[in-house]
Amino acid sequence: MSGHQEYSFFGAVEQSFDKAAKFTNWDLGILEQIKQCNSVYRMHFPVKIGDKIEVIKAYRVQHSHHKTPCKGGIRFSTSVNLDEVMALAALMTYKCAIVNVPFGGAKGGISIDPKKYTAYELEKITRRYTHELIKKNFIGPGTDVPAPDYGTGEREMAWILDTYMSMKPGEIDALGCVTGKPVTQGGVRGRREATGLGVFYGIREVCAMPDIMQKLGLAMGVAGKSVVVQGLGNVGYHAAKYFREGGAKVIAIAEYEGAITNAAGLNEEEVFQHRKKTGSILNFPGATNLASSNDALEMACDILIPAALENVVNGDNAPRVKAKIIGEAANGPLTPEADEILAAKGVLVVPDMYLNAGGVTVSYFEWLKNLSHVRYGRLEKRFTENQNKDIINQIEGLTGKKVDDNAKEKIEHGADEVDLVYSGLEETMINATREIIDCWKKNPAIPDMRTAAYVVAINKVATSYNELGIFP
Ligand code: GLU
């Protein structure tokens, strides 16, 4: 949709859904049920800020109950509104389905600018919001499990957990009421970087597909590719990090104050520190400033990673986008109109609802850890290491040769929690990429990868409804 019309994010999700539904044979009633948001909770509550009372507007939307609990982040931003939260909740349903995470989709949001409040005020707002969720049974390890999103992080999740635990004393699985917690409060190692790492694994898998790379006129592999990242929040920062470590060049980074570029490549940590010190990414040593953040979206590059908010590539600027691959690290960064324009130009759009599913995938691992009350690797790590040592001793004894120390260390190592989380995430992202591409190949009439991803998601959710049966 162009800038002239009022943009509806939920409308865009519905449009993409309808485009894909044509490639399925499901009952129209089931399709309609999948599309709708099952429960919408809009709240207003008062919080004392300084000596004034502020009325805070907030939401929690549960898009689908075909599997429970519902799952999805909580966003703190002035752009939060019902349409946005509904769209994000719907994307969570499809996201979870694609990566086989057994949750329904949900999303929450508080319409505030977190930068305008002290930590103490934010804590009061977060705790009061949690109270409201508890009152209406919109939170709990078996009902609805929030997580971080734009404007929130581990600190807010710890406040939510503490509020929940204090109101539900003795609930044995209470730790599973929220994910993205600090590791000391029941979080899982690897959750913080999960979304960015998942984006990298997904794009790396696409870049390992010879037919796709050939069509795009690109060499195989991530190494040597030029990457532009929009947004240096948690997701953008980690995506940039893994692309750089994978041998790609991050030639530009954009934030809302502007963008910087350097053809030789930028180091995300140095840029992050510069921004922390000066309050802006601009004037980073060795880089050139771009006046507007949006200019970065139109730079010539192999891979564009929008990792901030929705609706940044639309009918207006899509014709000027020069990237060959767009990896949607954010939720909904492209409008349906942009999709059409980019598909016609032969740009490969790797869609949000699976590419950024790394966050919720590792949230699922965290929730499982909370329900099992034991850290991953605790039981088997030493057993594996002892067994591996025995194998090496046998090999050395039989061959009369020594295994070198580096190799020995690597072979002996039993899996830690973070090893298991990364390997589970890698496996999930690779399988999801292949499943979507296979679906696309089986039906060449499907116009783009987003539509293929929706087809995969719709088939899974509809199968689940069918197997559950509809309550008479
Ligand atoms: N907010 C993240 C997302 O949009 C993570 C959700 C979760 O972990 O539940 O996918």
Side-chain angles (χ1 to χ4, degrees):
M1 245 159 264
S2 72
H4 320 295
Q5 272 165 290
E6 180 81 41
Y7 175 69
S8 162
F9 190 4
F10 188 66
V13 173
E14 284 189 304
Q15 229 175 301
S16 302
F17 182 99
D18 291 341
K19 196 167 155 185
K22 292 197 206 96
F23 297 97
T24 72
N25 297 315
W26 296 100
D27 183 289
L28 290 182
I30 284 194
L31 290 171
E32 183 60 21
Q33 172 57 36
I34 296 174
K35 226 163 77 169
Q36 295 298 336
C37 287
N38 289 8
S39 311
V40 173
Y41 179 15
R42 190 188 67 160
M43 61 205 101
H44 285 99
F45 52 80
V47 177
K48 193 122 187 229
I49 303 292
D51 55 4
K52 287 204 176 61
I53 289 173
E54 246 183 65
V55 178
I56 307 285
K57 195 195 250 185
Y59 309 85
R60 184 75 183 170
V61 171
Q62 298 174 343
H63 173 260
S64 177
H65 297 132
H66 74 290
K67 288 193 195 288
T68 43
C70 296
K71 191 84 190 76
I74 292 176
R75 178 172 284 208
F76 286 4
S77 158
T78 47
S79 74
V80 163
N81 59 46
L82 184 58
D83 174 73
E84 184 188 70
V85 182
M86 283 169 66
L88 293 166
L91 285 176
M92 287 307 303
T93 295
Y94 308 134
K95 201 182 288 192
C96 291
I98 290 174
V99 290
N100 297 322
V101 163
F103 295 145
K107 202 77 169 202
I110 305 186
S111 179
I112 53 164
D113 176 359
K115 287 195 206 74
K116 290 208 178 118
Y117 299 90
T118 63
Y120 174 63
E121 289 162 353
L122 283 174
E123 179 173 349
K124 279 209 287 189
I125 295 170
T126 309
R127 285 184 183 275
R128 178 62 197 255
Y129 175 71
T130 311
H131 267 259
E132 299 296 328
L133 296 180
I134 296 170
K135 278 201 305 208
K136 292 279 194 291
N137 201 24
F138 262 68
I139 183 172
T143 44
D144 190 345
V145 182
D149 198 83
Y150 189 86
T152 59
E154 289 170 20
R155 179 183 67 171
E156 287 73 16
M157 302 308 116
W159 292 333
I160 292 173
L161 174 68
D162 188 58
T163 309
Y164 186 86
M165 299 235 283
S166 65
M167 291 188 64
K168 304 264 180 176
E171 194 178 289
I172 188 154
D173 289 329
L175 272 181
C177 78
V178 62
T179 60
K181 303 179 291 288
V183 173
T184 53
Q185 307 298 320
V188 75
R189 288 162 188 81
R191 174 63 183 85
R192 191 182 298 165
E193 61 271 38
T195 310
L197 182 55
V199 167
F200 172 74
Y201 284 147
I203 296 288
R204 189 189 63 184
E205 187 58 20
V206 168
C207 290
M209 295 177 165
D211 43 346
I212 291 192
M213 287 297 103
Q214 203 187 0
K215 226 161 109 198
L216 293 169
L218 290 172
M220 299 280 290
V222 160
K225 297 250 173 332
S226 56
V227 180
V228 171
V229 178
Q230 187 219 21
L232 201 58
N234 178 44
V235 179
Y237 174 92
H238 285 106
K241 173 176 187 265
Y242 292 111
F243 275 109
R244 180 181 54 74
E245 289 177 359
K249 271 199 174 65
V250 179
I251 58 163
I253 296 180
E255 258 294 342
Y256 52 71
E257 65 269 18
I260 51 170
T261 124
N262 184 345
L266 295 159
N267 178 305
E268 72 297 328
E269 175 58 22
E270 289 169 11
V271 175
F272 182 82
Q273 289 306 335
H274 169 80
R275 187 168 194 241
K276 212 167 139 188
K277 216 168 66 197
T278 66
S280 164
I281 57 169
L282 296 174
N283 305 322
F284 179 71
T288 310
N289 291 339
L290 293 181
S292 143
S293 177
N294 288 341
D295 292 349
L297 300 170
E298 298 171 19
M299 276 180 67
C301 64
D302 297 322
I303 304 170
L304 170 65
I305 304 285
L309 287 172
E310 57 266 20
N311 187 17
V312 295
V313 179
N314 45 45
D316 296 335
N317 60 357
R320 296 189 298 274
V321 168
K322 295 170 201 73
K324 301 233 167 78
I325 299 174
I326 301 183
E328 293 187 317
N331 288 308
L334 273 58
T335 65
E337 203 180 350
D339 269 353
E340 305 275 333
I341 295 168
L342 294 165
K345 291 207 312 182
V347 177
L348 177 68
V349 175
V350 186
D352 50 4
M353 19 120 55
Y354 110 88
L355 190 66
N356 69 28
V360 75
T361 300
V362 176
S363 276
Y364 171 48
F365 300 158
E366 179 176 335
W367 180 78
L368 291 174
K369 174 189 183 181
N370 296 149
L371 298 195
S372 64
H373 301 264
V374 63
R375 165 173 53 81
Y376 288 107
R378 175 160 178 188
L379 297 183
E380 63 273 35
K381 181 175 163 69
R382 188 160 295 266
F383 180 84
T384 313
E385 285 181 354
N386 288 340
Q387 209 168 29
N388 292 345
K389 273 185 194 138
D390 285 345
I391 295 170
I392 289 177
N393 286 342
Q394 285 291 329
I395 292 172
E396 289 184 338
L398 290 170
T399 59
K401 290 181 187 157
K402 288 271 168 217
V403 175
D404 83 74
D405 285 351
N406 272 347
K408 203 182 242 177
E409 208 179 303
K410 216 169 153 196
I411 297 167
E412 278 178 8
H413 177 80
D416 289 311
E417 181 164 271
V418 75
D419 301 320
L420 294 168
V421 164
Y422 283 178
S423 113
L425 175 61
E426 186 173 7
E427 171 76 3
T428 302
M429 292 309 298
I430 289 175
N431 286 344
T433 312
R434 291 186 185 165
E435 197 174 353
I436 295 166
I437 296 287
D438 280 353
C439 165
W440 196 5
K441 281 188 183 152
K442 272 194 206 118
N443 194 342
I446 292 178
D448 51 36
M449 194 172 171
R450 184 187 321 282
T451 308
Y454 267 94
V455 170
V456 171
I458 292 170
N459 284 338
K460 288 188 183 182
V461 180
T463 304
S464 175
Y465 268 115
N466 243 14
E467 282 164 4
L468 274 176
I470 305 286
F471 198 72

